[in-house]
Structures are given as structure tokens and as C-alpha cells.
């Protein structure tokens, strides 16, 4: 099997690297950052996204009739991998979840209003699925959408939890129950709501990873016009499931894990304990060799996802395996580092004597979200059991 990228793909990779060098700025890129993806929450990061838009790199894989580049998905993947390696914002929710769903299912109004803004990096979205009692079992969501008086539009009431980006996003992509009597997967509808609509209250939820924030969002009699219903009423579950397959594929990149491994490998080459080089320690040698092997396996999982998508399939099983393996590998990488580093490994960023300036201690706390967001590890295992192994649906 030939794992090499084509000449055109390699040329694109070089172009992206040159662009990143040209745009390099600490306010936009942080290669030591351990988060899933840099948020586009400052004017400088918005300008960076606009520069990518000007290159035609947002919506590269969208059909040409919607202003996209009609390029194979591998180009979007290569772009995101380079961005992630540099600690830059990725092309994310707007292009991957909102845009692709509107293209497939949205009405003409949504297409003409949102698609050009996404392509031009003029708009940021927050995704409102999870609620206090609806996470893994998302179809249990209870946010209610009732018909507005005179049957024009909808009124939304309820609470969302863990809405990342709500505090700076322009629009809210939100799921609510339109038919409480239907089986739980069948009465859900997707809406687009301006984030500053009357009746929306946003409260910060701080995370255990430093400087990471998500939000609780309360909707109190929020009006949504009929034009802003996404697709058909009561069909939201279908669109959410389809978009989650896109999300697992586009939001998790391998290069961040490779970088973490490389940083630890390089540190081991130089570090000493009690005057002896760590690289001579048999446990350290075995551990780093094992991690090197795991990294190669993770890369193979990525290639399985890309090759399935490239052949026109939806890589849901492959994405589940990829996400499970790589996010858990991320945790193993930081776990092994903290074991090797000993007591000093627990020192936080910018503390004198902290190995790698506390980067891995920070990541140890942060890495929890990787195995939770876009479906927990247990949920990925359930997908693999059902779709890959043909085992019965869990109770
Ligand atoms: C920092 C952060 C950012 C987030 N951002 C967003 C966002 O922008 N938008 C959004 O909508 N959501 C977001 N989420 C929510 C995220 O998708 C949910 O946390 C996730 O789906 C898990 O749901 P839960 O937290 O309710 O846990 P639960 O579903 O209550 O799960 C608790 C535990 O039980 C396990 N479990 C549950 N069901 C099963 C099962 N059937 N079999 C085996 N084990 C099971 C889980 O794996 C987990 O370990 C975010 C979460 C975090 C932490």
C-alpha cells in the first residue's frame, strides 16, 4: 500500500506551511497549547480566518455551486493538520457542521444568508446540543420549542450546558424538542438563533484545563422565525447524527499528538535525574519506544478515516476507532511523562523547575475533554461494538 501523498497534495501542504509562517503571531498561534482547537474569539484570530478565506481555504470541499472549491476532503484534512501542528485555529464548526448540513438540508434563505458568510469568515457559531440530563444520551434533550401564537415561528424555552463559544459566537445552532409525544429520536428540530436574541442568558463554566471556558445557556421565551428552522421539523436527530460524523472527522487531528510525543522524546534526550541521563534508564527507553509505536498506529487510524472518506463513504466506524485510540493515546502520553518526570512533573506552567515549563501537567488536566467532547470513549466503544462487530444495541 502506498501511504505517500500525491504531488499536488504535497504542494498544497507546502503552501499551507508557507502561509502559516507568513501569518505567524503569538496572538493567533500557540504551538504549546494543548486544547482541542484554538477558538476564534479575538479580532486578530478573526483576521487570520479571513486571510484563509481569501485563499479559498474555507469550504474547500463544498460543491462549487455554493462557492466551495469542490476539492477532495483530503485537502481540508491536510489544512487542519498543519493548522493544528502550529497551534492555530482550525476550520471548524461553521464549515464542517453548520455549512455542510445547510448545503444538504437547509432552505434557500439559510443557504443565501449563511453560506457566503461562512466562506468569508464573517460568522462564528456555538453548538447547543448538550443539556444537564442529555449528554451521551442526547436524544433525551428536553429544551422545548412550541409554535408561536398565530403559527408563525417558534418559541424556545430551556437550558443547555457545555455550549463552547457561546460567549463570543454570532449564531446558536440549537436542538429543541418540537414533538414531546413522538419517540425521543423523532421529535427534535434544529434551529439557528442569533446569540444576542432577547431571552438568552449565558453563564461561564470554567474547566479544569487552564483558561478553557465553556458555558451554560438559558433560553427564556426566545422567538425563532420559520425561516431559521434547519431542514424539516422533527427531523433534527437525523441531521445531528450526520453532522457528528463530520465533527469527529474534522475536529480531531493527529498532529497535536505527534507534537506532544516529539517534545517528550526530545526532552528525554537531554534530561537527567540524580546526575544520570534519563535516556539511559531502561524504563524510560521502553516507554518512549512504546509511545513511538502507538503514534504510528494512530497515524494508520487517520489514514483509514481519510481513505474511507476519499472513497465516498461516511467514515463513522473508522472515526470512532480513530477518536478512541488517539484521544486515549494523548492521555497515555501525558501520564507516562508525569511518571518519568517524577514529583517535578506536577509543577504548573511558569513554575521554576517545572519540566517542559509545566506543559504536560497542564495537558494532563486538559486531556479529559478530548475523551468526552464529540462523544465519550464509552460511546465510541459502543459504536465500534455495534457497527464494526455487529453486537446487539446496548440497553
Ligand atoms: C469542555 C467541554 C466542552 C463541550 N462543548 C460542547 C458544545 O460546544 N456543545 C455541546 O452541545 N456539548 C458540548 N460538550 C458536551 C459533551 O458533548 C458531553 O459532555 C458529552 O456528550 C458527555 O455527556 P455528559 O457530560 O452529559 O456525560 P454523560 O452522558 O452523563 O456520561 C457520564 C459517563 O457515563 C458514560 N456513559 C454514558 N452513556 C453510556 C453508555 N450508553 N454506555 C457506556 N457508558 C456510558 C459516559 O461515557 C461518561 O463516562 C462539551 C463538554 C465539555 C466537557
Amino acid at each position: 500500500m502506498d501511504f505517500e501523498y500525491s504531488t499536488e497534495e504535497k504542494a498544497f501542504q507546502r503552501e499551507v506551511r508557507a502561509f502559516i509562517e507568513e501569518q505567524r503571531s503569538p496572538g493567533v498561534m500557540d504551538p504549546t497549547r494543548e486544547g482541542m482547537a484554538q477558538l476564534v474569539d479575538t479580532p486578530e484570530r478573526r483576521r487570520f480566518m479571513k486571510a484563509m478565506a481569501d485563499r479559498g481555504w474555507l469550504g474547500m470541499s463544498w460543491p462549487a455551486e455554493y462557492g466551495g472549491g469542490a476539492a477532495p476532503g483530503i485537502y481540508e484534512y491536510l489544512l487542519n493538520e498543519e493548522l493544528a501542528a502550529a497551534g492555530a485555529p482550525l476550520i471548524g464548526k461553521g464549515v464542517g457542521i453548520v455549512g455542510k448540513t445547510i448545503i444538504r438540508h437547509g432552505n434557500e434563505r439559510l443557504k443565501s444568508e449563511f453560506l457566503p458568510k461562512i466562506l468569508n469568515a464573517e460568522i462564528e457559531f456555538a453548538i447547543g446540543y448538550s443539556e444537564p440530563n442529555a449528554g451521551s444520551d442526547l436524544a433525551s434533550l428536553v429544551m422545548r420549542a412550541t409554535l408561536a401564537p398565530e403559527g408563525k415561528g417558534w418559541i424556545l424555552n430551556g437550558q443547555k450546558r457545555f455550549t463552547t463559544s457561546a460567549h463570543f459566537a454570532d449564531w446558536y445552532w440549537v436542538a429543541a424538542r418540537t414533538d414531546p409525544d413522538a419517540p425521543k429520536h423523532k421529535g427534535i428540530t434544529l434551529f439557528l438563533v442569533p446569540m444576542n436574541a432577547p431571552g438568552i442568558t449565558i453563564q461561564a463554566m470554567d474547566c479544569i484545563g487552564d483558561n478553557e471556558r465553556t458555558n451554560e445557556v438559558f433560553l427564556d421565551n426566545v422567538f425563532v422565525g420559520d425561516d431559521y428552522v434547519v431542514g424539516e421539523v422533527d427531523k433534527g436527530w437525523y441531521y445531528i447524527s450526520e453532522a457528528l460524523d463530520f465533527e469527529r472527522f474534522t475536529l480531531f487531528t493527529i498532529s497535536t499528538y505527534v507534537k506532544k510525543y516529539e517534545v517528550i522524546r526530545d526532552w528525554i534526550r537531554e534530561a537527567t535525574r540524580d546526575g544520570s541521563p534519563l535516556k539511559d534508564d531502561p524504563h524510560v527507553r521502553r516507554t518512549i519506544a512504546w509511545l513511538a509505536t502507538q503514534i504510528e498506529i494512530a497515524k494508520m487510524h487517520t489514514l483509514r478515516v481519510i481513505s474511507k472518506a476519499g472513497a465516498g463513504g461516511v467514515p463513522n466506524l473508522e472515526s470512532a476507532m480513530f477518536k478512541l485510540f488517539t484521544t486515549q493515546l494523548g492521555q497515555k502520553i501525558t501520564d507516562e511523562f508525569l511518571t518519568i518526570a517524577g514529583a517535578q512533573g506536577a509543577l504548573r506552567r511558569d513554575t521554576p523547575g517545572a519540566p517542559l515549563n509545566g506543559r504536560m501537567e497542564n495537558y494532563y488536566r486538559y486531556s479529559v475533554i478530548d475523551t468526552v467532547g464529540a462523544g465519550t470513549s464509552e460511546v465510541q466503544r459502543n459504536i465500534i461494538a455495534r457497527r464494526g462487530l455487529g453486537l446487539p444495541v446496548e440497553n
Side-chain angles (χ1 to χ4, degrees), residues 128-144 160 175-189 234-241 244 248 379 386 394:
Y129 296 154
S130 305
E131 297 181 3
N133 290 310
S136 302
D137 184 15
L138 186 57
S140 294
L141 64 87
V142 294
M143 174 166 285
R144 193 73 172 92
K160 293 288 172 185
R177 188 160 298 283
T178 30
D179 183 353
D181 300 322
K184 66 179 184 178
H185 294 92
K186 299 213 164 135
I188 296 170
T189 301
D234 294 338
K235 293 272 175 65
W237 182 254
Y238 171 73
Y239 310 136
I240 291 171
S241 308
L244 273 176
R248 279 185 204 116
V379 167
R386 276 200 322 273
E394 68 278 11

